[in-house]
């Protein structure tokens, strides 16, 4: 496991998360063959309280899901901020792809705990449960999309839920107390790699969807059916609002070569599938059924990364593909308002109060724009 005691090529890309008297942070480095981990620090002293490694030690729990030498540079980064439930005192943290992502020859098996939702005891870091969305990921489909905590009736009974629209094209609902999968439905049209999710939570994979040396067309694309940009949920409508990609990739496999600290360790490449016409679509998903209630397509090449914000007044504020900040009716999807920023989105809108007045703010390129609500 040589590199674990040397240069680990770790870095950080997202904000840490406060959880009780701790602050929890993750690391990037999945494309560099770094071993992912989460660490919690005492807010008062900065002392590390616990650490959870996402790639097992050889012989440890989960290591049986790695057949081959790939475990030595396993990836499983924790680069995106998780979610905290103070009532259950549980941190829900999504993890990224295994390294050498397009070539799984040296890592046969499911490759835990890559592409997982981890439920960790906030005080100790002990694993309560996990759910792996894409076992033995060959397409770079990190599970690093915001897991949303929702308390709602489920089939007539109050339930503590966790919702996620995953990069692999499926929308999931879990009981967040024990990780039981309650629903898994596709939310994009372009989905070729699996026909569904079995009751045990495993994908029902279609044949001939693994990357090859000649290239394999797979949907969704490497960018995913959605990605890290924020979704939102409105309890009044029961709808989950998420910006999606309708596009596919051609995945090409190659030998990743020898691992070297600080250098990419990919096992192949990908490009937008030729002949496809990618599309960016805002979708409203009924969380109880997984059905898409409405959608709002946006003209453009589907390369923007803006998220959504749902309001109690039944608006959805979102960064549109053309660089506009837009508002749509949360019930019908009808576009109501648009403000051009002439920027490609790399941020999601947020809201705050100041002197009794509500504002909507968003980072548009190098500028922070704020809009007062009347």
């Amino acid at each position: 496991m040589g590199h674990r005691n040397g240069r680990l090529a770790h870095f950080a890309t997202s904000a840490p998360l406060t959880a009780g008297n701790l602050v929890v942070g993750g690391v990037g480095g999945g494309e560099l063959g770094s071993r992912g981990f989460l660490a919690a620090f005492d807010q008062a002293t900065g002392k590390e309280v616990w650490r959870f490694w996402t790639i097992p030690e050889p012989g440890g729990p989960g290591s049986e899901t790695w057949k081959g030498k790939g475990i030595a540079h396993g990836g499983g980064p924790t680069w995106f901020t998780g979610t905290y439930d103070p009532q259950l005192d549980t941190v829900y943290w999504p993890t990224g792809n295994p390294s050498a992502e397009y070539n799984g020859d040296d890592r046969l098996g499911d490759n835990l705990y890559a592409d997982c939702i981890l439920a960790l005891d906030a005080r100790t870091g002990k694993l309560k449960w996990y759910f792996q969305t894409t076992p033995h990921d060959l397409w770079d489909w990190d599970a690093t999309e915001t897991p949303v905590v929702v308390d709602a009736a489920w089939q007539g009974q109050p339930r503590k839920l966790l919702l996620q629209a995953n990069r692999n094209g499926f929308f999931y609902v879990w009981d967040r107390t024990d990780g039981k999968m309650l629903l898994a439905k596709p939310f994009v049209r372009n989905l070729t790699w699996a026909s569904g999710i079995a009751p045990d939570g495993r994908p029902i994979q279609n044949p001939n969807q693994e990357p090859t040396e000649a290239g394999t067309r797979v949907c969704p694309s490497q960018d995913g059916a959605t990605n890290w940009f924020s979704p939102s949920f409105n309890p009044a409508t029961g709808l989950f609002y998420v910006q999606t990609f309708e596009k596919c990739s051609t995945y090409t496999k190659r030998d990743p070569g020898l691992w070297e600290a600080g250098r990419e360790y990919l096992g192949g490449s990908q490009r937008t599938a030729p002949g496809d016409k990618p599309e960016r679509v805002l979708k409203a998903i009924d969380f109880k059924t997984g059905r898409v209630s409405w959608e709002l397509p946006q003209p453009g090449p589907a390369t923007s990364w803006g998220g959504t914000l749902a309001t109690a007044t039944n608006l959805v504020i979102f960064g549109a593909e053309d660089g506009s900040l837009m508002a749509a009716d949360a019930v019908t999807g009808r576009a109501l308002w648009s403000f051009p920023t002439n920027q490609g989105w790399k941020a999601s809108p947020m809201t705050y109060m100041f002197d009794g007045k509500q504002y909507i703010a968003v980072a548009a390129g190098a500028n922070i724009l704020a809009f007062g609500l009347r």
Side-chain angles (χ1 to χ4, degrees):
M1 312 296 286
H3 79 288
R4 296 187 176 177
N5 297 317
R7 291 177 56 205
L8 295 175
H10 286 133
F11 56 90
T13 59
S14 298
L17 176 72
T18 58
N21 66 338
L22 303 177
V23 59
V24 185
V27 294
E31 279 68 38
L32 303 174
S34 303
R35 185 190 185 201
F37 69 90
L38 270 182
F41 302 88
D42 186 286
Q43 291 182 22
T45 66
K47 180 182 177 182
E48 183 173 313
V49 175
W50 56 257
R51 180 174 292 213
F52 182 92
W53 291 95
T54 60
I55 305 300
E57 290 285 351
S63 63
E64 70 281 0
T65 67
W66 294 79
K67 303 291 195 297
K69 62 183 180 181
I71 192 173
H73 309 291
T78 51
W79 61 269
F80 192 69
T81 309
T83 303
Y84 175 58
D85 181 345
Q87 285 189 328
L88 298 177
D89 203 23
T90 301
V91 170
Y92 302 96
W93 207 281
T95 69
N97 57 275
S99 296
E101 51 242 60
Y102 311 115
N103 186 333
D105 293 351
D106 289 335
R107 53 176 177 86
L108 301 179
D110 286 352
N111 308 142
L112 293 175
Y113 293 94
D115 292 356
C116 282
I117 303 292
L118 302 175
L120 303 175
D121 183 287
R123 289 170 300 165
T124 65
K126 182 180 179 181
L127 181 65
K128 290 185 172 182
W129 59 262
Y130 72 89
F131 186 98
Q132 188 176 46
T133 51
T134 309
H136 191 63
D137 181 11
L138 299 171
W139 308 278
D140 192 13
W141 290 334
D142 302 51
T144 47
E145 296 74 50
T146 300
V148 178
V149 168
V150 171
D151 291 341
W154 183 267
Q155 298 180 353
Q157 298 296 321
R159 206 91 182 238
K160 294 183 179 299
L161 305 174
L162 196 68
L163 316 181
Q164 189 196 51
N166 192 270
R167 196 161 157 176
N168 69 12
F170 290 92
F171 172 74
Y172 295 89
V173 179
W174 299 280
D175 183 318
R176 69 176 185 273
T177 66
D178 58 10
K180 178 179 173 58
M181 187 188 77
L182 304 176
L183 180 77
K185 297 288 185 182
F187 65 92
V188 288
R189 296 185 300 273
N190 292 313
L191 200 159
T192 64
W193 76 283
S195 61
I197 305 296
D200 65 358
R202 297 187 68 84
I204 305 166
Q205 293 196 31
N206 291 326
N208 304 316
Q209 289 290 279
E210 297 189 358
T212 59
E213 292 181 5
T216 305
R217 179 181 180 271
V218 181
C219 312
S221 74
Q222 185 232 241
D223 287 344
T226 186
N227 212 294
W228 54 263
F229 31 83
S230 297
S232 52
F233 178 74
N234 184 334
T237 64
L239 297 177
F240 182 93
Y241 305 98
V242 60
Q243 283 278 40
T244 69
F245 291 128
E246 293 281 359
K247 60 179 175 179
C248 308
S249 282
T250 298
Y251 289 88
T252 304
K253 174 184 176 180
R254 62 170 169 76
D255 187 336
L258 295 176
W259 178 85
E260 186 177 333
R263 296 188 65 178
E264 286 191 336
Y265 189 64
L266 297 179
S269 62
Q270 69 81 35
R271 59 190 174 92
T272 301
D276 280 6
K277 292 185 177 179
E279 190 175 31
R280 177 85 156 166
V281 186
L282 174 64
K283 298 195 178 190
I285 302 171
D286 184 328
F287 85 102
K288 293 184 177 180
T289 64
R291 184 179 66 87
V292 176
S293 181
W294 57 257
E295 56 184 51
L296 182 59
Q298 299 142 60
T303 56
S304 67
W305 298 76
T308 72
L309 169 70
T311 74
T313 52
N314 285 345
L315 295 177
V316 182
I317 315 291
F318 63 100
E321 175 67 18
D322 66 357
S324 299
L325 186 67
M326 291 186 66
D329 186 294
V331 177
T332 67
R334 183 168 64 94
L336 301 174
W337 174 84
S338 177
F339 181 90
T341 71
N342 300 315
Q343 298 288 337
W345 291 110
K346 296 288 192 296
S348 301
M350 53 87 73
T351 187
Y352 63 96
M353 296 285 290
F354 182 71
D355 280 351
K357 186 171 182 178
Q358 186 177 8
Y359 295 84
I360 300 291
V362 68
N367 304 307
I368 304 296
L369 304 181
F371 301 85
L373 299 186
R374 289 189 284 179

